[in-house]
Amino acid sequence: MPSFDDADFGGPIHIIKSKDLTRVKTGESNGDRRGSAYGSPLAIAGEDLSNSVEVPATRPSIANASPFMLELSMDGRPGAKDRRGSRNSFGASLPIPKSKRQSRLSSIAYSGSNAGRPSMPTVQPTREILASQVQDMSGEKVTAAKDMAFVFDIDGVLVHGDRLIPEGQRVLEILNGDNELGIKVPHIFLTNGSGKPEAARIEQLSKILQQPISMEQFIQSHTPMRALSEYYSTVLVVGGEDYRCREVAEQYGFKDIVVPNDIVAWDPTIAPYRVFTDEERKTSNPRDFSKVNIEAIMVFSDSRDYATDMQIIMDLLQSENGRFHTRAKDPVSQRIPIYFSQGDLLCPTEHPNPRMSQGAFRIGLEAMYKALTGEDLERVVYGKPELATYKYADSVLENWMDIIHNDERLPKNIYMVGDNPASDIVGGNSYGWNTCLVRTGVFQGGENDVENPANFGVFKNVLDAVQTAMKKELGQDFNFNWKNERVNPLLQKGDVSAVMVE
């Protein structure tokens, strides 16, 4: 995988070597007295952080809490509510993985595999040979097909929860080779969904869509956050069902992972309204957290228990360097960092109307923190439409191009297909992609979204969007079905002298 240049990121890239650095800080100078957001240095695991780069956080106004809550400042200072218009903390850097993605969790076998026939030529199916012959005679279309790519949101575009959107399956069939060229058109999946390991989500999605999906094509909201395992050792991981997010963090390389149930098992009084079951206690790992420094908070997925998770997070944010049963003299300078995997306020599900997502949880936390401290909560948000997520998507697309076409580069014409104007569309527009808004998820509006219009258009579903884009790039007469009888002489009428290809 080629290395990144500073120019790729619109700002300086910081190669971190020291164990003793303040990872995320603010640089506000408009009269704000807060200074460094996270103040004291944090111990960082590992000397050489060569597997990640840091991307400056972008500053779109979407997902800012202020439009959703009243002025809650306890000191009533004039102008406080207008002080921040940023989605992410000022000056924050979002580390993302730099190296070629690891496929150790992938169960996908590619057609080039020859494990059962060592030292023998790879066996290719008839259709693959025929397709290669067709592609040899259709040079311009093949070049155009390799120079376009699709980036798909998942929920609201391809599926609704565990329910298939039928057009989603047909789209993947076309892009996986069921087209007149028999060619694979590059595509990846970029979702703000989260809460379970990538391999489990891929297996689930493949079954619903009845199409193979590789680990190398898939980005969840917290996938880029594996780079943070080089920065922090002991972390609180919040969200998701059961202990799946603990499993995610372990796979990302975090060394000491704490979940809310561990803390409640140690001190039940920390969540006075929580009924803690014997089964939950058996699966918890309690210890004396008054003697443990938690270095960062990672909200990987939607909270399943708002009251308990918010209480624990608020205690940590006001603690002395991440120790429970303490209160910092200066909660701003001693505050530990908090990361959110995405900022969506709403998420489409099987319910007729979109449900509240992680962004709603974050807004509630920001409102509470403001009410209790009089300060704005500095936080870092990954996921769409954050710049770091799109930079990471670039590297995934390049890697996938290398896998399917042996050509490690970024296609020129990239189409983002999504249902959420506030994340899919605004992020794609900002990054210079062609954006397609579909009506099968969050967006149910008019001709286009007023605040964040899709630049390529609005479509009734994902199939309509993909076919329109492919006709633009490959010609209006492009056929979206592969037919053997068009290219195999033995299946054509008339006298032929050909041999069936095996």
Side-chain angles (χ1 to χ4, degrees):
M1 183 67 76
S3 60
F4 294 109
D5 295 324
D6 288 2
D8 293 333
F9 297 94
I13 305 301
H14 307 290
I15 304 301
I16 309 283
K17 296 291 185 183
S18 172
K19 277 189 173 184
D20 192 24
L21 292 175
T22 300
R23 286 293 155 186
V24 184
K25 62 182 180 181
T26 61
E28 226 173 38
S29 59
N30 57 345
D32 190 351
R33 59 177 174 80
R34 288 174 293 170
S36 174
Y38 302 136
S40 59
L42 298 173
I44 308 302
E47 285 285 355
D48 184 9
L49 304 182
S50 58
N51 291 324
S52 64
V53 294
E54 294 187 354
V55 180
T58 53
R59 296 173 54 179
S61 61
I62 69 142
N64 181 40
S66 57
F68 301 101
M69 63 184 186
L70 299 174
E71 171 54 41
L72 297 174
S73 173
M74 297 176 68
D75 58 13
R77 285 175 294 159
K81 66 180 180 180
D82 298 321
R83 191 171 50 184
R84 291 182 64 232
S86 168
R87 177 171 186 264
N88 265 325
S89 302
F90 288 114
S93 293
L94 277 67
I96 58 174
K98 180 175 65 173
S99 60
K100 188 182 286 287
R101 299 192 69 203
Q102 300 298 311
S103 59
R104 64 185 183 278
L105 301 178
S106 176
S107 60
I108 300 297
Y110 300 106
S111 60
S113 176
N114 196 31
R117 305 173 72 243
S119 73
M120 294 291 288
T122 300
V123 175
Q124 291 182 304
T126 300
R127 177 167 156 177
E128 191 166 330
I129 293 178
L130 294 173
S132 67
Q133 294 171 350
V134 171
Q135 292 167 26
D136 286 343
M137 296 183 291
S138 305
E140 290 185 6
K141 281 189 177 181
V142 169
T143 299
K146 291 180 179 180
D147 225 5
M148 69 180 305
F150 291 93
V151 180
F152 294 109
D153 181 40
I154 295 176
D155 293 301
V157 175
L158 302 172
V159 299
H160 286 136
D162 291 333
R163 180 165 54 87
L164 172 69
I165 297 175
E167 293 82 6
Q169 179 181 344
R170 179 61 194 135
V171 158
L172 296 190
E173 289 172 351
I174 292 170
L175 299 182
N176 283 330
D178 190 10
N179 55 68
E180 71 172 58
L181 297 175
I183 195 170
K184 292 182 178 180
V185 178
H187 60 283
I188 64 170
F189 305 89
L190 181 62
T191 175
N192 272 356
S194 57
K196 60 178 64 176
E198 283 79 1
R201 180 72 166 126
I202 288 168
E203 182 180 4
Q204 175 193 24
L205 194 60
S206 297
K207 288 180 180 178
I208 296 172
L209 292 166
Q210 299 179 40
Q211 288 291 303
I213 297 173
S214 168
M215 186 76 155
E216 309 301 328
Q217 292 174 278
F218 191 75
I219 307 171
Q220 295 189 100
S221 62
H222 49 58
T223 304
M225 293 174 71
R226 67 184 175 94
L228 294 171
S229 65
E230 296 189 63
Y231 292 70
Y232 305 108
S233 179
T234 303
V235 296
L236 174 70
V237 174
V238 178
E241 295 182 29
D242 301 323
Y243 291 89
R244 303 308 298 276
C245 282
R246 193 203 293 271
E247 184 182 350
V248 171
E250 288 173 348
Q251 292 183 3
Y252 288 175
F254 288 97
K255 296 176 178 60
D256 186 11
I257 302 154
V258 180
V259 298
N261 276 5
D262 299 340
I263 297 164
V264 177
W266 162 65
D267 180 7
T269 66
I270 205 165
Y273 308 115
R274 170 76 178 273
V275 178
F276 202 58
T277 67
D278 291 338
E279 187 61 32
E280 288 174 324
R281 189 175 301 278
K282 289 178 183 177
T283 55
S284 299
N285 299 324
R287 53 182 141 149
D288 188 353
F289 288 104
S290 67
K291 298 179 180 179
V292 176
N293 281 72
I294 293 177
E295 299 170 9
I297 302 166
M298 310 281 173
V299 183
F300 270 11
S301 188
D302 292 359
S303 169
R304 265 55 175 184
D305 183 352
Y306 270 44
T308 300
D309 291 348
M310 283 188 168
Q311 183 66 74
I312 288 173
I313 291 173
M314 289 303 300
D315 283 351
L316 274 179
L317 291 174
Q318 298 175 86
S319 70
E320 186 174 349
N321 294 324
R323 286 201 176 200
F324 283 98
H325 292 180
T326 68
R327 273 292 185 267
K329 295 180 181 178
D330 182 358
V332 174
S333 65
Q334 292 182 296
R335 183 173 58 214
I336 65 173
I338 179 168
Y339 295 86
F340 295 86
S341 70
Q342 53 101 347
D344 285 352
L345 182 64
L346 299 173
C347 176
T349 67
E350 295 179 4
H351 192 273
N353 297 315
R355 304 287 85 191
M356 290 187 296
S357 188
Q358 193 182 134
F361 179 75
R362 177 185 54 77
I363 289 167
L365 275 174
E366 291 184 6
M368 280 188 214
Y369 189 84
K370 181 80 173 198
L372 290 173
T373 69
E375 298 288 344
D376 292 307
L377 176 63
E378 295 289 346
R379 74 286 192 273
V380 177
V381 185
Y382 278 78
K384 296 175 292 186
E386 180 54 49
L387 172 66
T389 294
Y390 289 83
K391 291 294 183 186
Y392 185 61
D394 275 354
S395 69
V396 172
L397 262 175
E398 289 176 341
N399 192 37
W400 187 241
M401 277 286 291
D402 188 31
I403 289 171
I404 64 173
H405 293 308
N406 196 30
D407 187 6
E408 189 174 0
R409 62 179 177 83
L410 198 63
K412 293 180 182 178
N413 305 304
I414 300 176
Y415 291 82
M416 174 79 221
V417 185
D419 68 298
N420 192 336
S423 59
D424 302 321
I425 303 306
V426 71
N429 286 344
S430 299
Y431 204 56
W433 287 353
N434 303 298
T435 51
C436 309
L437 183 60
V438 296
R439 299 181 184 275
T440 50
V442 170
F443 179 74
Q444 299 292 331
E447 293 185 3
N448 208 331
D449 186 69
V450 176
E451 295 185 0
N452 301 296
N455 59 41
F456 189 67
V458 178
F459 304 89
K460 61 182 179 181
N461 55 52
V462 64
L463 180 60
D464 188 22
V466 167
Q467 287 182 334
T468 303
M470 291 184 72
K471 284 183 177 180
K472 176 181 180 293
E473 302 295 340
L474 305 176
Q476 292 297 315
D477 61 342
F478 189 78
N479 196 301
F480 297 103
N481 295 96
W482 170 269
K483 294 183 179 179
N484 278 345
E485 58 267 24
R486 287 206 304 259
V487 294
N488 193 328
L490 290 184
L491 300 179
Q492 297 174 7
K493 296 180 180 179
D495 294 331
V496 294
S497 56
V499 178
M500 174 70 78
V501 180
E502 294 293 344

